[in-house]
Amino acid sequence: MTLTKAQIADVIHQDLGFPKNRSAEVLELLLELIKNKLENGEDVLVSGFGKFCVRLKKERRGRNPATGQDLLLSGRKVITFRCSHLLRKRINDDFPS
């Protein structure tokens, strides 16, 4: 099941008692802060959850799968996520061995 922004805002509303519109504003503000930091090339570390990192991918050769034509893919930035060891442990605790 996918967790949506509306569901997160609803949990903020229920757990913290904020009005629904204020809960949505808080969530949007948080997400905007994360986006701005990543856009500026900064990493975002959320203790106990994980780290969002901006990585540079080099220019590389590729192929159009439809035509088989070789082409050059330009360099770009990508965002990666590495979960913390605490989150990884929590996810795997009830996984059957």
Side-chain angles (χ1 to χ4, degrees):
M1 182 174 126
T2 302
L3 181 64
T4 65
K5 288 197 300 187
Q7 291 170 325
I8 295 170
D10 195 44
V11 170
I12 293 170
H13 164 69
Q14 290 172 3
D15 289 0
L16 300 180
F18 288 2
K20 283 193 177 188
N21 61 344
R22 185 66 180 143
S23 299
E25 288 174 12
V26 168
L27 177 60
E28 288 296 333
L29 183 64
L30 172 66
L31 294 175
E32 197 60 38
L33 175 67
I34 292 171
K35 287 189 260 185
N36 288 338
K37 292 297 179 181
L38 292 171
E39 186 178 351
N40 292 332
E42 299 176 52
D43 294 344
V44 177
L45 173 65
V46 181
S47 297
F49 182 69
K51 185 176 184 179
F52 295 92
C53 300
V54 177
R55 293 195 172 281
L56 299 175
K57 291 195 101 176
K58 295 180 183 178
E59 189 175 78
R60 62 188 175 94
R61 290 179 22 184
R63 179 170 295 141
N64 182 335
T67 63
Q69 178 184 7
D70 287 335
L71 45 103
L72 193 60
L73 300 172
S74 59
R76 60 192 172 111
K77 294 179 185 177
V78 296
I79 298 172
T80 60
F81 176 76
R82 291 189 49 127
C83 69
S84 74
H85 68 281
L86 298 172
L87 178 59
R88 185 176 293 118
K89 182 180 181 327
R90 188 169 169 178
I91 290 171
N92 288 309
D93 271 351
D94 57 346
F95 188 75
S97 302

Coordinates of all heavy atoms in Angstrom, one line a residue:
M1 N 0.8 -1.2 0.0 CA 0.0 0.0 0.0 C 0.9 1.2 0.0 O 1.9 1.3 0.7 CB -0.9 0.0 1.2 CG -1.8 1.2 1.3 SD -2.9 1.0 2.7 CE -2.6 2.6 3.5
T2 N 0.5 2.2 -0.8 CA 1.2 3.5 -0.9 C 0.7 4.4 0.2 O -0.4 4.6 0.4 CB 1.0 4.1 -2.3 OG1 1.5 3.1 -3.3 CG2 1.8 5.4 -2.4
L3 N 1.7 5.1 0.8 CA 1.4 6.2 1.8 C 1.4 7.5 1.1 O 2.4 7.9 0.5 CB 2.4 6.2 2.9 CG 2.2 7.2 4.0 CD1 0.9 6.9 4.8 CD2 3.4 7.1 5.0
T4 N 0.3 8.2 1.1 CA 0.1 9.5 0.4 C 0.4 10.7 1.3 O 0.3 10.6 2.5 CB -1.3 9.6 -0.2 OG1 -2.2 9.7 0.8 CG2 -1.6 8.5 -1.2
K5 N 0.6 11.9 0.7 CA 0.7 13.1 1.5 C -0.5 13.4 2.3 O -0.4 13.8 3.5 CB 1.1 14.3 0.6 CG 2.4 14.2 0.0 CD 2.9 15.6 -0.6 CE 2.0 16.1 -1.6 NZ 2.6 17.3 -2.3
A6 N -1.7 13.1 1.8 CA -2.9 13.3 2.5 C -3.0 12.4 3.7 O -3.5 12.9 4.8 CB -4.1 13.1 1.6
Q7 N -2.5 11.2 3.6 CA -2.6 10.3 4.8 C -1.6 10.8 5.8 O -1.8 10.7 7.0 CB -2.2 8.9 4.3 CG -3.3 8.2 3.5 CD -2.9 6.9 2.8 OE1 -1.8 6.8 2.4 NE2 -3.8 6.0 2.7
I8 N -0.4 11.2 5.4 CA 0.6 11.7 6.3 C 0.1 13.0 7.1 O 0.2 13.1 8.3 CB 1.9 12.0 5.6 CG1 2.6 10.8 5.1 CG2 2.9 12.7 6.6 CD1 3.7 11.0 4.2
A9 N -0.6 13.9 6.3 CA -1.1 15.1 6.9 C -2.2 14.7 7.9 O -2.4 15.3 9.0 CB -1.7 16.0 5.8
D10 N -3.0 13.7 7.6 CA -4.1 13.2 8.5 C -3.5 12.6 9.8 O -4.0 12.9 10.9 CB -4.9 12.1 7.8 CG -6.2 11.9 8.5 OD1 -6.9 12.9 8.9 OD2 -6.6 10.7 8.7
V11 N -2.4 11.9 9.7 CA -1.7 11.4 10.9 C -1.2 12.6 11.8 O -1.3 12.5 13.0 CB -0.6 10.4 10.5 CG1 0.3 10.1 11.8 CG2 -1.2 9.2 9.9
I12 N -0.6 13.6 11.1 CA -0.1 14.8 11.8 C -1.3 15.4 12.6 O -1.2 15.8 13.7 CB 0.6 15.8 10.9 CG1 1.9 15.2 10.4 CG2 0.8 17.1 11.6 CD1 2.5 16.0 9.2
H13 N -2.4 15.5 11.9 CA -3.7 16.1 12.4 C -4.1 15.3 13.7 O -4.4 15.9 14.7 CB -4.8 16.1 11.4 CG -6.1 16.3 11.9 ND1 -6.5 17.5 12.5 CD2 -7.2 15.5 12.0 CE1 -7.8 17.4 12.9 NE2 -8.2 16.2 12.6
Q14 N -4.2 14.0 13.5 CA -4.6 13.1 14.6 C -3.7 13.1 15.8 O -4.1 13.2 17.0 CB -4.9 11.7 14.1 CG -6.1 11.6 13.2 CD -6.2 10.2 12.5 OE1 -5.4 9.3 12.9 NE2 -7.1 10.1 11.7
D15 N -2.4 12.9 15.5 CA -1.4 12.7 16.6 C -1.0 14.0 17.3 O -0.8 14.0 18.5 CB -0.2 12.1 16.1 CG -0.4 10.6 15.7 OD1 -1.5 10.1 15.9 OD2 0.6 9.9 15.3
L16 N -0.9 15.1 16.6 CA -0.5 16.4 17.2 C -1.6 17.4 17.4 O -1.4 18.4 18.1 CB 0.6 17.1 16.3 CG 1.8 16.2 16.0 CD1 2.8 17.0 15.1 CD2 2.5 15.9 17.3
G17 N -2.8 17.1 16.9 CA -4.0 17.9 17.1 C -3.9 19.2 16.3 O -4.7 20.1 16.6
F18 N -3.1 19.3 15.3 CA -3.1 20.5 14.4 C -4.4 20.5 13.6 O -4.9 19.4 13.3 CB -1.9 20.5 13.5 CG -0.6 20.8 14.1 CD1 -0.4 21.0 15.5 CD2 0.5 20.8 13.3 CE1 0.8 21.2 16.0 CE2 1.8 21.1 13.9 CZ 1.9 21.3 15.2
P19 N -4.9 21.6 13.2 CA -6.0 21.6 12.2 C -5.5 21.0 10.9 O -4.3 21.0 10.6 CB -6.3 23.1 12.0 CG -5.6 23.8 13.2 CD -4.5 23.0 13.6
K20 N -6.5 20.4 10.2 CA -6.1 19.7 9.0 C -5.3 20.5 8.0 O -4.3 20.1 7.4 CB -7.3 19.1 8.3 CG -7.8 17.8 9.0 CD -8.8 17.1 8.1 CE -9.3 15.8 8.9 NZ -10.1 15.0 8.0
N21 N -5.8 21.8 7.8 CA -5.1 22.6 6.8 C -3.7 22.9 7.3 O -2.7 23.0 6.5 CB -5.8 23.9 6.5 CG -6.1 24.8 7.7 OD1 -5.9 24.3 8.8 ND2 -6.5 26.0 7.4
R22 N -3.5 23.1 8.6 CA -2.1 23.4 9.2 C -1.2 22.2 9.0 O 0.0 22.3 8.8 CB -2.3 23.8 10.6 CG -1.0 24.3 11.2 CD -0.4 25.5 10.6 NE 0.8 25.9 11.3 CZ 1.8 26.4 10.6 NH1 1.8 26.7 9.3 NH2 2.9 26.7 11.3
S23 N -1.8 21.0 9.2 CA -1.0 19.7 9.1 C -0.5 19.6 7.7 O 0.6 19.2 7.5 CB -1.9 18.5 9.4 OG -2.4 18.6 10.8
A24 N -1.4 19.9 6.7 CA -0.9 19.8 5.3 C 0.2 20.9 5.0 O 1.1 20.6 4.3 CB -2.1 20.1 4.4
E25 N 0.0 22.1 5.6 CA 1.1 23.1 5.4 C 2.4 22.7 6.0 O 3.5 22.9 5.4 CB 0.6 24.4 6.1 CG -0.5 25.1 5.4 CD -1.0 26.3 6.2 OE1 -0.3 26.8 7.1 OE2 -2.1 26.8 5.8
V26 N 2.4 22.1 7.2 CA 3.6 21.6 7.8 C 4.3 20.6 7.0 O 5.5 20.6 6.7 CB 3.3 21.1 9.2 CG1 4.5 20.3 9.8 CG2 2.9 22.2 10.2
L27 N 3.5 19.6 6.4 CA 4.0 18.6 5.6 C 4.7 19.2 4.3 O 5.8 18.8 3.9 CB 3.0 17.6 5.2 CG 3.4 16.5 4.3 CD1 4.5 15.6 4.8 CD2 2.2 15.6 3.9
E28 N 3.9 20.1 3.7 CA 4.4 20.8 2.5 C 5.7 21.5 2.7 O 6.7 21.5 2.0 CB 3.4 21.7 1.8 CG 2.3 20.9 1.2 CD 2.7 20.1 0.0 OE1 3.7 20.4 -0.7 OE2 2.0 19.1 -0.3
L29 N 5.8 22.2 3.9 CA 7.0 22.9 4.3 C 8.2 22.0 4.5 O 9.3 22.3 4.0 CB 6.7 23.7 5.6 CG 7.8 24.6 6.1 CD1 8.1 25.7 5.1 CD2 7.5 25.2 7.4
L30 N 8.0 20.9 5.1 CA 9.0 19.9 5.3 C 9.5 19.4 4.0 O 10.7 19.3 3.7 CB 8.5 18.8 6.2 CG 9.5 17.6 6.3 CD1 10.7 18.0 7.0 CD2 8.8 16.4 7.0
L31 N 8.6 19.0 3.1 CA 9.0 18.5 1.8 C 9.7 19.5 1.0 O 10.7 19.2 0.3 CB 7.8 17.9 1.1 CG 7.1 16.7 1.7 CD1 5.9 16.3 1.0 CD2 8.1 15.5 1.8
E32 N 9.3 20.8 1.0 CA 9.9 21.8 0.3 C 11.3 22.1 0.8 O 12.3 22.3 0.0 CB 9.1 23.1 0.4 CG 9.4 24.1 -0.6 CD 9.2 23.7 -2.1 OE1 8.3 22.9 -2.4 OE2 10.1 24.0 -2.9
L33 N 11.5 22.0 2.1 CA 12.8 22.1 2.7 C 13.8 21.1 2.2 O 14.9 21.3 1.8 CB 12.7 22.1 4.2 CG 14.1 22.1 5.0 CD1 14.8 23.4 4.8 CD2 13.8 21.8 6.5
I34 N 13.3 19.8 2.2 CA 14.1 18.7 1.7 C 14.4 18.9 0.2 O 15.6 18.7 -0.2 CB 13.4 17.4 1.9 CG1 13.3 17.1 3.4 CG2 14.1 16.2 1.2 CD1 12.4 15.9 3.8
K35 N 13.4 19.3 -0.6 CA 13.7 19.5 -2.0 C 14.7 20.6 -2.3 O 15.6 20.4 -3.1 CB 12.4 19.8 -2.7 CG 11.4 18.7 -2.9 CD 10.3 19.1 -3.8 CE 9.1 19.4 -3.0 NZ 7.9 19.6 -3.8
N36 N 14.6 21.7 -1.5 CA 15.6 22.8 -1.7 C 17.0 22.4 -1.4 O 17.9 22.7 -2.1 CB 15.1 24.0 -0.8 CG 13.9 24.7 -1.4 OD1 13.6 24.6 -2.6 ND2 13.2 25.4 -0.5
K37 N 17.2 21.6 -0.3 CA 18.5 21.2 0.1 C 19.1 20.3 -1.0 O 20.2 20.4 -1.4 CB 18.5 20.5 1.5 CG 18.2 21.4 2.6 CD 19.2 22.4 2.8 CE 18.9 23.4 3.9 NZ 20.0 24.4 4.0
L38 N 18.3 19.3 -1.5 CA 18.7 18.4 -2.5 C 19.0 19.2 -3.8 O 20.0 18.9 -4.5 CB 17.7 17.3 -2.7 CG 17.5 16.3 -1.6 CD1 16.3 15.4 -1.8 CD2 18.8 15.5 -1.4
E39 N 18.2 20.1 -4.1 CA 18.4 20.9 -5.3 C 19.7 21.7 -5.3 O 20.4 21.9 -6.3 CB 17.3 21.9 -5.5 CG 17.3 22.7 -6.7 CD 16.1 23.6 -6.9 OE1 15.2 23.6 -6.0 OE2 16.1 24.5 -7.8
N40 N 20.1 22.1 -4.1 CA 21.4 22.8 -3.9 C 22.6 21.8 -3.8 O 23.7 22.3 -3.5 CB 21.3 23.7 -2.6 CG 20.4 24.8 -2.8 OD1 20.2 25.3 -3.9 ND2 19.8 25.3 -1.7
G41 N 22.3 20.5 -3.9 CA 23.4 19.6 -3.9 C 23.8 19.1 -2.5 O 24.8 18.4 -2.3
E42 N 23.0 19.5 -1.5 CA 23.3 19.1 -0.1 C 22.6 17.7 0.2 O 21.5 17.5 -0.3 CB 22.8 20.1 0.9 CG 23.4 21.5 0.7 CD 22.8 22.5 1.6 OE1 22.8 22.3 2.8 OE2 22.5 23.6 1.1
D43 N 23.2 16.9 1.0 CA 22.6 15.7 1.5 C 21.6 16.0 2.6 O 21.7 17.0 3.3 CB 23.6 14.7 2.0 CG 24.6 14.2 0.9 OD1 24.2 14.4 -0.2 OD2 25.6 13.7 1.3
V44 N 20.6 15.2 2.8 CA 19.6 15.3 3.8 C 19.6 14.1 4.7 O 19.3 13.0 4.2 CB 18.2 15.6 3.3 CG1 17.2 15.7 4.4 CG2 18.2 16.8 2.4
L45 N 20.0 14.2 6.0 CA 20.1 13.1 6.9 C 19.0 13.2 7.9 O 18.8 14.2 8.6 CB 21.5 13.1 7.6 CG 21.6 12.1 8.8 CD1 21.6 10.7 8.2 CD2 22.9 12.4 9.5
V46 N 18.2 12.2 8.0 CA 17.1 12.1 9.0 C 17.5 11.0 9.9 O 17.4 9.8 9.5 CB 15.7 11.8 8.3 CG1 14.6 11.8 9.4 CG2 15.4 12.9 7.2
S47 N 18.0 11.3 11.1 CA 18.5 10.3 12.0 C 17.4 9.2 12.3 O 16.3 9.5 12.5 CB 18.9 11.0 13.4 OG 19.9 11.9 13.1
G48 N 17.9 8.0 12.3 CA 17.0 6.9 12.5 C 16.2 6.5 11.4 O 15.4 5.5 11.4
F49 N 16.2 7.2 10.3 CA 15.5 6.9 9.1 C 16.4 6.6 7.9 O 16.3 5.6 7.3 CB 14.5 8.1 8.7 CG 13.6 7.8 7.5 CD1 12.6 6.9 7.6 CD2 13.8 8.6 6.4 CE1 11.8 6.7 6.5 CE2 13.0 8.4 5.3 CZ 12.0 7.4 5.3
G50 N 17.2 7.6 7.5 CA 18.1 7.4 6.4 C 18.7 8.7 5.9 O 18.5 9.8 6.5
K51 N 19.4 8.6 4.8 CA 20.0 9.7 4.2 C 19.7 9.8 2.7 O 19.9 8.8 1.9 CB 21.6 9.6 4.4 CG 22.4 10.8 3.9 CD 23.8 10.5 4.3 CE 24.7 11.7 3.9 NZ 26.1 11.5 4.3
F52 N 19.3 11.0 2.2 CA 19.1 11.3 0.8 C 20.3 12.0 0.3 O 20.8 12.9 0.9 CB 17.9 12.2 0.6 CG 16.6 11.6 1.0 CD1 16.1 11.8 2.3 CD2 15.8 10.9 0.1 CE1 14.9 11.3 2.7 CE2 14.6 10.3 0.5 CZ 14.1 10.5 1.8
C53 N 20.9 11.4 -0.7 CA 22.2 12.0 -1.3 C 22.0 12.3 -2.7 O 21.3 11.6 -3.5 CB 23.3 10.9 -1.2 SG 23.6 10.4 0.5
V54 N 22.6 13.4 -3.1 CA 22.7 13.8 -4.5 C 24.0 13.3 -5.1 O 25.1 13.5 -4.6 CB 22.6 15.3 -4.7 CG1 22.8 15.7 -6.2 CG2 21.4 15.9 -4.1
R55 N 23.9 12.5 -6.2 CA 25.1 11.9 -6.8 C 25.2 12.4 -8.2 O 24.1 12.6 -8.9 CB 25.0 10.4 -6.8 CG 25.1 9.8 -5.4 CD 25.4 8.3 -5.6 NE 25.7 7.6 -4.4 CZ 26.8 7.6 -3.8 NH1 27.8 8.3 -4.2 NH2 27.0 6.8 -2.7
L56 N 26.4 12.5 -8.7 CA 26.6 12.9 -10.1 C 26.8 11.6 -10.9 O 27.7 10.8 -10.6 CB 27.8 13.8 -10.2 CG 27.7 15.1 -9.5 CD1 29.0 15.9 -9.6 CD2 26.5 15.9 -10.0
K57 N 26.1 11.5 -12.0 CA 26.3 10.3 -12.9 C 27.1 10.9 -14.1 O 26.7 12.0 -14.6 CB 25.0 9.7 -13.4 CG 24.3 9.0 -12.3 CD 23.2 8.1 -12.8 CE 23.8 6.7 -12.9 NZ 22.8 5.7 -13.3
K58 N 28.1 10.2 -14.5 CA 28.9 10.7 -15.6 C 28.2 10.5 -17.0 O 27.3 9.7 -17.1 CB 30.3 9.9 -15.7 CG 31.1 10.2 -14.5 CD 32.4 9.4 -14.6 CE 33.3 9.6 -13.3 NZ 34.5 8.8 -13.4
E59 N 28.7 11.1 -18.0 CA 28.2 10.9 -19.3 C 28.6 9.5 -19.7 O 29.6 9.0 -19.4 CB 28.9 11.9 -20.2 CG 28.4 12.0 -21.6 CD 29.1 13.1 -22.4 OE1 30.3 12.8 -22.8 OE2 28.5 14.1 -22.6
R60 N 27.6 8.8 -20.4 CA 27.9 7.4 -20.8 C 27.3 7.1 -22.1 O 26.4 7.8 -22.6 CB 27.4 6.5 -19.7 CG 25.9 6.5 -19.5 CD 25.5 5.7 -18.3 NE 24.1 5.9 -18.0 CZ 23.2 5.1 -18.4 NH1 23.5 4.0 -19.2 NH2 21.9 5.3 -18.1
R61 N 27.7 6.0 -22.7 CA 27.2 5.5 -23.9 C 25.9 4.7 -23.6 O 25.9 4.0 -22.6 CB 28.2 4.7 -24.7 CG 29.3 5.5 -25.3 CD 30.3 4.8 -26.0 NE 29.9 3.5 -26.5 CZ 30.6 2.6 -27.1 NH1 31.9 2.9 -27.3 NH2 30.2 1.5 -27.5
G62 N 24.9 4.8 -24.5 CA 23.7 4.0 -24.3 C 23.2 3.6 -25.7 O 23.8 3.8 -26.7
R63 N 22.0 2.9 -25.6 CA 21.4 2.5 -26.9 C 19.9 2.6 -26.8 O 19.3 2.3 -25.8 CB 21.8 1.0 -27.1 CG 21.2 0.4 -28.3 CD 21.7 -1.0 -28.7 NE 23.1 -0.8 -29.0 CZ 24.0 -1.7 -28.6 NH1 23.7 -2.8 -27.9 NH2 25.3 -1.5 -28.9
N64 N 19.3 3.1 -27.9 CA 17.9 3.2 -28.0 C 17.4 1.8 -28.2 O 17.7 1.2 -29.2 CB 17.5 4.1 -29.1 CG 16.0 4.3 -29.3 OD1 15.2 3.4 -28.8 ND2 15.6 5.4 -29.9
P65 N 16.6 1.2 -27.2 CA 16.1 -0.2 -27.4 C 15.2 -0.4 -28.5 O 15.1 -1.5 -29.1 CB 15.5 -0.5 -26.0 CG 15.2 0.8 -25.4 CD 16.1 1.8 -26.0
A66 N 14.5 0.7 -28.9 CA 13.5 0.5 -30.0 C 14.2 0.4 -31.4 O 13.8 -0.3 -32.2 CB 12.5 1.7 -30.0
T67 N 15.3 1.2 -31.6 CA 16.0 1.3 -32.9 C 17.3 0.6 -32.9 O 17.9 0.3 -33.9 CB 16.2 2.8 -33.3 OG1 17.0 3.4 -32.4 CG2 14.8 3.5 -33.4
G68 N 17.9 0.4 -31.7 CA 19.2 -0.2 -31.6 C 20.3 0.9 -31.9 O 21.5 0.5 -31.9
Q69 N 19.9 2.1 -32.0 CA 20.9 3.2 -32.3 C 21.7 3.5 -31.1 O 21.2 3.7 -30.0 CB 20.1 4.4 -32.8 CG 21.0 5.6 -33.2 CD 20.2 6.8 -33.5 OE1 19.0 6.8 -33.5 NE2 20.9 7.8 -34.0
D70 N 23.1 3.6 -31.3 CA 23.9 4.1 -30.2 C 23.8 5.6 -30.0 O 23.6 6.3 -31.0 CB 25.4 3.8 -30.5 CG 25.7 2.3 -30.4 OD1 25.0 1.6 -29.7 OD2 26.7 1.9 -31.1
L71 N 23.8 6.0 -28.7 CA 23.8 7.4 -28.4 C 24.5 7.7 -27.2 O 25.0 6.8 -26.5 CB 22.3 7.9 -28.3 CG 21.4 7.0 -27.5 CD1 21.1 7.6 -26.1 CD2 20.0 7.0 -28.2
L72 N 24.8 9.0 -27.0 CA 25.5 9.4 -25.8 C 24.6 10.0 -24.8 O 23.9 11.0 -25.1 CB 26.6 10.4 -26.2 CG 27.7 10.8 -25.2 CD1 28.5 9.6 -24.8 CD2 28.6 11.8 -25.8
L73 N 24.5 9.5 -23.6 CA 23.6 10.0 -22.5 C 24.4 11.0 -21.7 O 25.5 10.7 -21.3 CB 23.2 8.8 -21.6 CG 22.4 7.7 -22.3 CD1 22.1 6.6 -21.4 CD2 21.1 8.3 -22.8
S74 N 23.9 12.2 -21.6 CA 24.6 13.2 -20.9 C 24.7 13.0 -19.4 O 23.9 12.2 -18.8 CB 23.9 14.6 -21.1 OG 22.6 14.5 -20.6
G75 N 25.6 13.6 -18.7 CA 25.7 13.5 -17.3 C 24.5 14.1 -16.6 O 23.9 14.9 -17.1
R76 N 24.2 13.6 -15.4 CA 23.1 14.2 -14.7 C 23.2 13.9 -13.2 O 24.1 13.2 -12.8 CB 21.8 13.5 -15.2 CG 21.8 12.0 -15.0 CD 20.6 11.4 -15.7 NE 20.8 9.9 -15.7 CZ 20.0 9.1 -15.0 NH1 18.9 9.6 -14.4 NH2 20.1 7.8 -15.1
K77 N 22.4 14.5 -12.4 CA 22.3 14.3 -11.0 C 21.2 13.4 -10.7 O 20.1 13.4 -11.3 CB 22.1 15.6 -10.2 CG 23.2 16.6 -10.3 CD 22.8 17.9 -9.6 CE 23.9 19.0 -9.8 NZ 23.4 20.2 -9.1
V78 N 21.4 12.5 -9.7 CA 20.4 11.5 -9.3 C 20.3 11.6 -7.8 O 21.3 12.0 -7.1 CB 20.6 10.1 -9.8 CG1 20.5 10.0 -11.3 CG2 21.9 9.5 -9.3
I79 N 19.2 11.3 -7.2 CA 19.0 11.2 -5.8 C 18.9 9.8 -5.4 O 18.2 9.0 -5.9 CB 17.7 11.9 -5.3 CG1 17.8 13.4 -5.7 CG2 17.5 11.8 -3.8 CD1 16.5 14.2 -5.5
T80 N 19.8 9.4 -4.4 CA 19.8 8.1 -3.8 C 19.3 8.1 -2.4 O 19.4 9.2 -1.7 CB 21.1 7.4 -3.9 OG1 22.1 8.2 -3.2 CG2 21.6 7.3 -5.4
F81 N 18.9 7.0 -1.9 CA 18.5 6.9 -0.5 C 19.1 5.7 0.2 O 19.1 4.6 -0.4 CB 16.9 6.8 -0.3 CG 16.5 6.6 1.1 CD1 16.4 7.7 2.0 CD2 16.1 5.4 1.6 CE1 16.0 7.5 3.3 CE2 15.7 5.2 2.9 CZ 15.7 6.3 3.7
R82 N 19.8 6.0 1.3 CA 20.3 4.9 2.1 C 19.6 4.9 3.4 O 19.7 5.8 4.2 CB 21.8 5.1 2.3 CG 22.6 4.9 1.0 CD 24.1 4.9 1.3 NE 24.4 4.0 2.4 CZ 25.3 3.0 2.3 NH1 26.0 2.9 1.2 NH2 25.5 2.2 3.4
C83 N 19.0 3.8 3.7 CA 18.2 3.7 5.0 C 19.2 3.5 6.1 O 20.3 2.9 5.9 CB 17.2 2.7 5.0 SG 17.7 1.0 5.0
S84 N 18.9 4.0 7.3 CA 19.7 3.8 8.5 C 19.7 2.3 8.9 O 18.8 1.6 8.6 CB 19.3 4.7 9.6 OG 18.1 4.2 10.2
H85 N 20.7 2.0 9.7 CA 20.8 0.6 10.2 C 19.6 0.3 11.1 O 19.1 -0.8 11.2 CB 22.1 0.3 10.9 CG 22.3 1.1 12.2 ND1 22.7 2.4 12.2 CD2 22.2 0.7 13.4 CE1 22.7 2.8 13.5 NE2 22.4 1.8 14.2
L86 N 19.1 1.3 11.8 CA 18.0 1.2 12.7 C 16.7 0.8 11.9 O 15.9 -0.1 12.3 CB 17.7 2.4 13.5 CG 18.8 2.8 14.5 CD1 18.6 4.2 15.1 CD2 19.0 1.8 15.5
L87 N 16.5 1.5 10.8 CA 15.3 1.3 10.0 C 15.5 -0.1 9.3 O 14.5 -0.9 9.2 CB 15.2 2.3 8.9 CG 14.0 2.2 7.9 CD1 12.7 2.1 8.6 CD2 14.0 3.3 6.9
R88 N 16.7 -0.4 8.8 CA 16.9 -1.7 8.2 C 16.6 -2.9 9.2 O 15.9 -3.8 8.8 CB 18.3 -1.8 7.7 CG 18.6 -3.1 6.9 CD 20.0 -3.2 6.3 NE 20.1 -2.2 5.3 CZ 21.0 -1.1 5.3 NH1 21.8 -1.0 6.3 NH2 21.0 -0.3 4.3
K89 N 17.1 -2.7 10.4 CA 16.8 -3.7 11.4 C 15.3 -3.8 11.7 O 14.8 -5.0 11.8 CB 17.6 -3.4 12.7 CG 17.4 -4.4 13.8 CD 18.2 -4.0 15.0 CE 18.1 -4.9 16.2 NZ 16.9 -5.7 16.4
R90 N 14.6 -2.7 11.8 CA 13.2 -2.7 12.1 C 12.4 -3.4 11.0 O 11.5 -4.1 11.2 CB 12.7 -1.3 12.3 CG 11.3 -1.2 12.8 CD 11.1 0.3 13.1 NE 9.7 0.5 13.3 CZ 9.1 1.6 13.7 NH1 9.9 2.7 13.9 NH2 7.8 1.7 13.9
I91 N 12.8 -3.2 9.7 CA 12.1 -3.8 8.6 C 12.4 -5.3 8.6 O 11.5 -6.1 8.3 CB 12.6 -3.1 7.3 CG1 12.1 -1.7 7.2 CG2 12.2 -3.9 6.1 CD1 12.7 -0.9 6.1
N92 N 13.6 -5.7 8.9 CA 13.9 -7.1 8.8 C 13.7 -7.9 10.1 O 13.8 -9.1 10.0 CB 15.4 -7.3 8.4 CG 15.6 -6.9 7.0 OD1 14.9 -7.4 6.1 ND2 16.6 -6.0 6.7
D93 N 13.3 -7.3 11.2 CA 13.0 -8.1 12.4 C 12.0 -9.2 12.3 O 12.2 -10.2 12.8 CB 12.6 -7.1 13.6 CG 13.8 -6.6 14.3 OD1 14.9 -7.0 14.1 OD2 13.6 -5.6 15.1
D94 N 10.9 -8.9 11.6 CA 9.9 -10.0 11.5 C 10.0 -10.7 10.1 O 9.0 -11.4 9.8 CB 8.5 -9.4 11.7 CG 8.2 -8.2 10.7 OD1 9.1 -7.7 10.0 OD2 7.0 -7.9 10.6
F95 N 11.1 -10.6 9.4 CA 11.3 -11.3 8.2 C 11.7 -12.7 8.5 O 12.6 -12.9 9.2 CB 12.3 -10.6 7.3 CG 12.4 -11.2 5.9 CD1 11.4 -10.9 5.0 CD2 13.5 -12.0 5.6 CE1 11.5 -11.4 3.7 CE2 13.6 -12.5 4.3 CZ 12.6 -12.2 3.3
P96 N 11.0 -13.7 8.0 CA 11.4 -15.1 8.3 C 12.8 -15.5 7.7 O 13.1 -15.1 6.6 CB 10.3 -16.0 7.6 CG 9.7 -15.1 6.6 CD 9.9 -13.6 7.0
S97 N 13.5 -16.2 8.5 CA 14.9 -16.6 8.1 C 14.9 -17.7 7.2 O 14.1 -18.6 7.2 CB 15.7 -16.9 9.3 OG 15.8 -15.8 10.2

